[in-house]
Amino acid sequence: MKLATLNNGRPDGQLVVVSADLARCVAAGRIAPTLQAALDDWNAHAPALAALSVQLDAGAIAGQPFDAGNALAPLPRAYQWIDGAGYLSHLERVRTLNGSKDAELQSARPLLYQGGSDSLVAPTAPIVVPEGDLAIDFEAEVAVIVGPVPMGATRDQAASAIRLITVCNDVSLRRLVADDLQNGFGFFHAKPSSSFAPIVITPDSLGEAWRDSRLHLSVRIEVNGTLFGQPNAGTDMHFDFADLIVEAARTRKLTAGTIIGGGTVSNRHDESLPIKRDGIGFACIAEARTVEKLKYGRARTPFLQTGDTVRIGAVTADGRTVFGDINQTVQRA
Amino acid sequence: MKLATLNNGRPDGQLVVVSADLARCVAAGRIAPTLQAALDDWNAHAPALAALSVQLDAGAIAGQPFDAGNALAPLPRAYQWIDGAGYLSHLERVRTLNGSKDAELQSARPLLYQGGSDSLVAPTAPIVVPEGDLAIDFEAEVAVIVGPVPMGATRDQAASAIRLITVCNDVSLRRLVADDLQNGFGFFHAKPSSSFAPIVITPDSLGEAWRDSRLHLSVRIEVNGTLFGQPNAGTDMHFDFADLIVEAARTRKLTAGTIIGGGTVSNRHDESLPIKRDGIGFACIAEARTVEKLKYGRARTPFLQTGDTVRIGAVTADGRTVFGDINQTVQRA
């Protein structure tokens, strides 16, 4: 089952069921007006949404063309956005830039931070950043949306709480990371609102691409139309999503609709940019710059500037977008 | 105008208007079913809610008895909970315990952390904590709920965005604070769900008690029935709520329903516990322990144990509760 949220002028938008080929959609308002409403009573609503999905795919319902340009983030505002650090090579590469802390804690238990969830950005909305030289970066990630998770959840409870999967862009202001880390209070200023792909998909509808609580697909990133990276999200993910959820629920329960990011997708390699057609590359600029510094003594890839574009999407082996693409332009407030 | 949220079995509860004397209430469902719905369209809904409040206070509507025991947190789940550090004496006292970072950044600009907002605890629900010796503490705070705040807001924009005021208990697991600070990723594990008083009040209805973006009332705390503190929230608040909101909106907008805590209320003094009837005391255990260590060489006041009770409420000069009381018992998960 594939779901999306269309802009209807309301803060939470309008839930729609999207066809398997992403071409058409049908309003789900008779079942649940919004994605949060569906998640609030998932056991009751999911079967009805799945039945609607079957009818749409069979052509029994014509529906309407699915316009990703009119999609909001699947949850335009959420009650929780937690970002984990599943890929250690991302941490290792950015640590040299940001002055982060010792590595020991990071490989034993995943790091998590609490992000702002009050305004999650639509896939084609601009990345709006404040004035100033803030070293604007993207971070391409896989994210899951969970149902209720009890405090002290087991791995099995965590894995089975995963309702929906998508990709996101955890926009980062690298110039502010060091100050935030120094304060110790979290990435309050360095991480403005994150952006999301238009479509969320249930684990069963991803087939072989979802297994071991990991998404086994390449996440393809283009900056200004040039391939920047296509690391596989199922490769080198040291902490899987069950690990991240267990860690998130150590001292508190998680309520339905909590979004958990897997951290910047990152595969181990020592290529630098530009990458070849079959290269791996990077899912954020900071990592590319670290590899360049090690190889050439200086970073060559600039951070994002006003007017730059970033396209992010998970793709099948034959290059088709799975969740629809995030496609954004950087803009000053 | 005074508002509360009653438990009706739904995640967001039922919005009610409460009488000036806190004795009666009336459902606001015809205007807005939930507090978030009221905040989403405040300019349209606030006048209608205020009119209902006038009718209730005049006796034109009988309403029903207001039962604080059936109240949820005013926003039982919110899109954002940001906790600031408005009182420097709190920071100074806990810093010696927690190994926090240098003081310079903290007096120039307020520290903020992003807290979990997916499940905010009802005023009389238990404080549920995981097993283990986690050094359970309370933090009595003033909190405001804001309307939309643009990125880069001015102090005037910030101050005028304050819609509602209340008090809360930012439960803290002190044993986990040092690890969280060491990671630099924020108080993820050390700060489980916060609890809220039953009633939120508009600034105009607080009269002289709300001025200069500060609440000029004592916040009274009892632990196991014994007075623990009654610091005045308007005294020694170095960063007022306008400062905190401006800082929170430095790199991103805030959407309606964002809750901002002012930090543990803390007045400068060197008294130790037990305090006299007119003493000041403390709004968290960690501060009491710091003063004891300095005075006696060791901390004497224990952290909370299972079965301990904490009562927190802002009070008028003649001792009447203003927002209703938080009254909780510690319980293991």
Side-chain angles (χ1 to χ4, degrees), chain B residues 153-176:
Chain B
T154 63
R155 268 185 59 85
D156 279 354
Q157 286 175 312
S160 65
I162 297 170
R163 300 274 185 265
L164 297 161
I165 296 134
T166 190
V167 296
C168 68
N169 175 11
D170 183 38
V171 176
S172 298
L173 307 175
R174 300 284 178 204
R175 204 78 71 206
L176 303 181

Side-chain angles (χ1 to χ4, degrees), chain B residues 9-332:
Chain B
R10 298 292 308 153
D12 300 304
Q14 158 72 56
L15 180 64
V16 296
V17 174
V18 182
S19 62
D21 63 0
L22 312 191
R24 294 172 302 124
C25 66
V26 58
R30 288 190 155 192
I31 301 163
T34 66
L35 181 53
Q36 183 64 50
L39 290 159
D40 282 345
D41 204 356
W42 187 253
N43 291 341
H45 295 325
L49 293 169
L52 194 58
S53 170
V54 168
Q55 289 182 289
L56 183 66
D57 283 338
I61 297 172
Q64 60 188 82
F66 175 67
D67 174 11
N70 191 38
L72 300 176
L75 289 170
R77 52 182 184 177
Y79 295 108
Q80 185 154 239
W81 155 239
I82 296 168
D83 200 7
Y87 303 84
L88 297 188
S89 52
H90 170 69
L91 280 178
E92 289 160 14
R93 288 177 184 146
V94 296
R95 190 181 305 126
T96 63
L97 286 185
N98 295 331
S100 295
K101 303 301 153 36
D102 65 67
E104 288 171 45
L105 288 162
Q106 297 167 356
S107 61
R109 282 214 304 248
L111 288 173
L112 302 169
Y113 76 87
Q114 187 83 45
S117 57
D118 63 319
S119 62
L120 303 175
V121 181
T124 58
I127 297 172
V128 182
V129 294
E131 292 295 329
D133 176 22
L134 298 176
I136 305 156
D137 201 352
F138 57 88
E139 292 191 339
E141 306 195 7
V142 178
V144 301
I145 302 177
V146 298
V149 177
M151 186 190 296
T154 63
R155 268 185 59 85
D156 279 354
Q157 286 175 312
S160 65
I162 297 170
R163 300 274 185 265
L164 297 161
I165 296 134
T166 190
V167 296
C168 68
N169 175 11
D170 183 38
V171 176
S172 298
L173 307 175
R174 300 284 178 204
R175 204 78 71 206
L176 303 181
V177 165
D179 268 7
D180 277 352
L181 280 170
Q182 166 70 13
N183 286 340
F185 273 43
F187 299 110
F188 195 91
H189 302 293
K191 301 277 189 177
S193 303
S194 296
S195 318
F196 285 75
I199 292 164
V200 289
I201 306 183
T202 50
D204 61 295
S205 294
L206 283 165
E208 272 301 293
W210 182 258
R211 57 182 196 274
D212 308 327
S213 297
R214 292 178 180 87
L215 183 71
H216 295 269
L217 291 175
S218 291
V219 177
R220 194 173 193 283
I221 301 109
E222 288 177 9
V223 175
N224 295 326
T226 299
L227 182 62
F228 196 94
Q230 47 191 354
N232 191 301
T235 303
D236 295 333
M237 191 186 193
H238 181 79
F239 298 111
D240 65 23
F241 279 101
D243 292 325
L244 298 176
I245 294 166
V246 164
E247 181 71 3
R250 259 178 65 204
T251 63
R252 50 185 161 122
K253 65 179 179 178
L254 311 177
T255 54
T258 291
I259 311 171
I260 297 169
T264 308
V265 175
S266 182
N267 293 171
R268 294 189 183 283
H269 65 80
D270 60 359
E271 299 164 27
S272 54
L273 295 174
I275 63 168
K276 297 186 185 130
R277 189 185 283 202
D278 62 348
I280 297 173
F282 308 95
C284 72
I285 295 172
E287 287 192 45
R289 290 172 61 90
T290 304
V291 171
E292 289 166 350
K293 276 187 189 171
L294 291 171
K295 265 197 167 166
Y296 309 113
R298 66 176 187 88
R300 307 202 282 203
T301 304
F303 288 108
L304 297 177
Q305 303 295 328
T306 304
D308 282 348
T309 63
V310 182
R311 180 186 282 267
I312 295 170
V315 291
T316 57
D318 57 355
R320 282 177 299 116
T321 184
V322 175
F323 304 97
D325 285 356
I326 297 169
N327 194 2
Q328 301 184 278
T329 303
V330 177
Q331 187 177 299
R332 299 283 164 176

Side-chain angles (χ1 to χ4, degrees), chain A residues 12-42:
Chain A
D12 300 304
Q14 157 71 55
L15 180 64
V16 296
V17 174
V18 182
S19 62
D21 64 1
L22 313 190
R24 293 172 302 124
C25 67
V26 58
R30 287 189 157 194
I31 301 164
T34 65
L35 180 54
Q36 183 64 50
L39 289 159
D40 281 344
D41 204 356
W42 187 251

Side-chain angles (χ1 to χ4, degrees), chain A residues 225-242:
Chain A
T226 300
L227 182 62
F228 196 94
Q230 47 191 352
N232 191 301
T235 303
D236 296 332
M237 191 185 195
H238 181 79
F239 298 112
D240 64 25
F241 278 100

